[in-house]
């Protein structure tokens, strides 16, 4: 499905963590395996992700506008814009401005509204940032919140399990009312399964399940959303992208457990990149 005229490219706004397999160190190889050129916009530089007991952190908020300004001078264009972890309210505005500058009718905007997990917002996320994230979500063609983030976006009380499917559909519809075309609520636990709730632009919905396996690991959301983003700019259906993403994440978790990779080191997706390369 790659265009005969040019290779697809996605501008990716996310942090760079040198160790721990998350954010850009996941996104770049995943997109590359799927024949997408990844064009990073770093939001911060970390020695390793914050799940480790110690880390170096360098905030790039003040540098981002100057970085993006050079792209404007070069008159760059992109088939997609994909936003991941943002560290401040100012960065949310920078991404909104970037979408206005580089977005196009033909391009896709994928927003992964990374705000929290396990029922709690991350410590860096203030109520003001959560409110601004609702605004950013409105610029997306596809948004991929996990269940915690879906609850934050809709003002619902989080529960680990027990949401009825009609409640999940209603939650996705309320998120779509914020402005995006399509919504994928990820990582919903249903007994021994993990379900992804897909609400399409035409209002149809699907429940895509995989059996729950292994340990929960950092970076799986980055793997998932990167595959969804790649499929979107290649013109594949959202349903196909979510199915491939869910199956690949499951395989990566199983391989990581098989190789006894420490949980904080994320998923060893490198072992399985050939599955993505062969598929494309």
């Amino acid at each position: 499905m790659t265009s005969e005229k040019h290779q697809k490219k996605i501008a990716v706004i996310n942090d760079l963590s040198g160790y721990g397999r998350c954010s850009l160190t996941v996104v770049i190889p995943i997109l590359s395996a799927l024949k997408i050129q990844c064009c990073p916009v770093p939001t911060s530089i970390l020695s390793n992700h914050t799940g480790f007991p110690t880390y170096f952190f360098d905030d790039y908020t003040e540098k981002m506008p100057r970085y993006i300004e050079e792209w404007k001078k070069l008159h760059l264009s992109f088939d997609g814009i994909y936003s991941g972890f943002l560290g401040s309210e100012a960065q949310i505005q920078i991404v909104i401005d970037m979408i206005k500058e580089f977005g196009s009718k033909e391009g896709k905007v994928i927003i992964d509204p990374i705000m929290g997990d396990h029922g709690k917002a991350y410590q860096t996320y203030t109520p003001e940032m959560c409110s601004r994230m609702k605004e950013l979500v409105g610029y997306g063609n596809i948004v991929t919140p996990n269940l915690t983030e879906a609850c934050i976006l809709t003002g619902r009380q989080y529960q680990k399990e027990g949401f009825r499917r009609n409640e999940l559909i209603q939650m996705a519809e309320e998120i779509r009312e914020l402005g995006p075309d399509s919504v994928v609520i990820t990582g919903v636990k249903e007994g021994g399964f993990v379900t992804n709730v897909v609400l399409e632009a035409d209002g149809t919905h699907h429940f895509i399940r995989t059996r729950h396996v292994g340990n929960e690991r950092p970076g799986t959301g980055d793997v998932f959303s990167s595959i969804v983003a790649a499929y979107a700019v290649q013109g594949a259906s959202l349903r196909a992208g979510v199915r491939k993403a869910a199956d690949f994440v499951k395989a990566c978790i199983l391989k990581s457990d098989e190789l006894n990779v420490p949980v904080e080191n994320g998923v060893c997706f490198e072992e399985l990149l050939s599955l993505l390369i062969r598929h494309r």
Side-chain angles (χ1 to χ4, degrees):
M1 281 175 286
T2 301
S3 168
E4 295 179 358
K5 295 182 179 180
H6 71 279
Q7 182 190 31
K8 303 292 186 179
K9 54 183 179 290
I10 299 178
V12 180
I13 307 103
N14 212 328
D15 70 85
L16 176 63
S17 293
Y19 191 80
R21 292 191 185 91
C22 67
S23 54
L24 284 173
T25 53
V26 168
V27 178
I28 294 170
I30 293 287
L31 292 185
S32 298
L34 290 167
K35 300 184 180 179
I36 306 290
Q37 179 186 355
C38 178
C39 305
V41 180
T43 60
S44 59
I45 304 295
L46 295 91
S47 56
N48 45 274
H49 68 68
T50 59
F52 289 92
T54 183
Y55 55 88
F56 166 82
F57 172 81
D58 186 18
D59 180 28
Y60 260 48
T61 301
E62 293 185 1
K63 302 177 182 70
M64 288 172 68
R66 287 180 286 162
Y67 184 110
I68 296 166
E69 186 61 32
E70 297 305 315
W71 283 9
K72 293 180 185 179
K73 294 177 185 178
L74 295 172
H75 305 291
L76 300 184
S77 62
F78 303 95
D79 301 284
I81 298 172
Y82 165 26
S83 174
F85 180 76
L86 303 174
S88 67
E89 189 176 348
Q91 288 188 354
I92 294 175
Q93 185 59 53
I94 291 170
V95 175
I96 291 173
D97 292 341
M98 187 175 175
I99 292 170
K100 292 178 179 178
E101 177 69 30
F102 293 99
S104 67
K105 185 177 181 181
E106 298 77 22
K108 299 293 184 182
V109 176
I110 300 90
I111 306 293
D112 188 2
I114 302 174
M115 296 185 288
D117 206 353
H118 304 296
K120 296 181 180 179
Y122 295 130
Q123 290 184 352
T124 56
Y125 259 80
T126 63
E128 291 75 20
M129 283 185 68
C130 291
S131 178
R132 290 306 305 277
M133 182 58 75
K134 290 182 182 180
E135 182 182 352
L136 176 57
V137 160
Y139 287 91
N141 295 110
I142 301 169
V143 297
T144 59
N146 62 27
L147 184 57
T148 295
E149 292 151 358
C151 288
I152 293 172
L153 290 170
T154 60
R156 276 179 168 75
Q157 182 66 40
Y158 172 84
Q159 54 189 46
K160 186 176 180 180
E161 294 188 61
F163 278 111
R164 296 190 298 272
R165 286 196 164 185
N166 65 319
E167 293 177 309
L168 294 167
I169 294 169
Q170 184 180 7
M171 198 181 306
E173 288 175 342
E174 289 178 14
I175 295 171
R176 199 174 66 163
E177 288 174 2
L178 296 173
D181 298 326
S182 304
V183 178
V184 182
I185 301 177
T186 67
V188 179
K189 292 183 179 178
E190 292 187 316
F193 293 87
V194 177
T195 298
N196 298 289
V197 184
V198 180
L199 179 62
E200 303 265 16
D202 63 3
T204 59
H205 60 266
H206 316 282
F207 295 91
I208 297 177
R209 301 198 308 170
T210 54
R211 187 165 291 281
H212 182 270
V213 297
N215 295 297
E216 292 187 21
R217 293 174 175 271
T220 53
D222 297 311
V223 173
F224 185 98
S225 293
S226 297
I227 295 173
V228 169
Y231 270 59
V233 301
Q234 294 280 24
S237 71
L238 178 58
R239 189 176 184 181
V242 171
R243 167 51 65 192
K244 183 62 179 181
D247 289 345
F248 187 72
V249 167
K250 176 185 174 183
C252 290
I253 292 173
L254 287 171
K255 176 60 72 171
S256 300
D257 286 355
E258 175 191 331
L259 296 179
N260 295 315
V261 174
V263 169
E264 62 270 21
N265 283 10
V267 288
C268 57
F269 65 89
E270 303 91 343
E271 296 279 336
L272 300 174
L273 277 177
S274 59
L275 298 178
L276 298 179
I277 294 169
R278 285 202 302 268
H279 181 78
R280 303 311 297 172

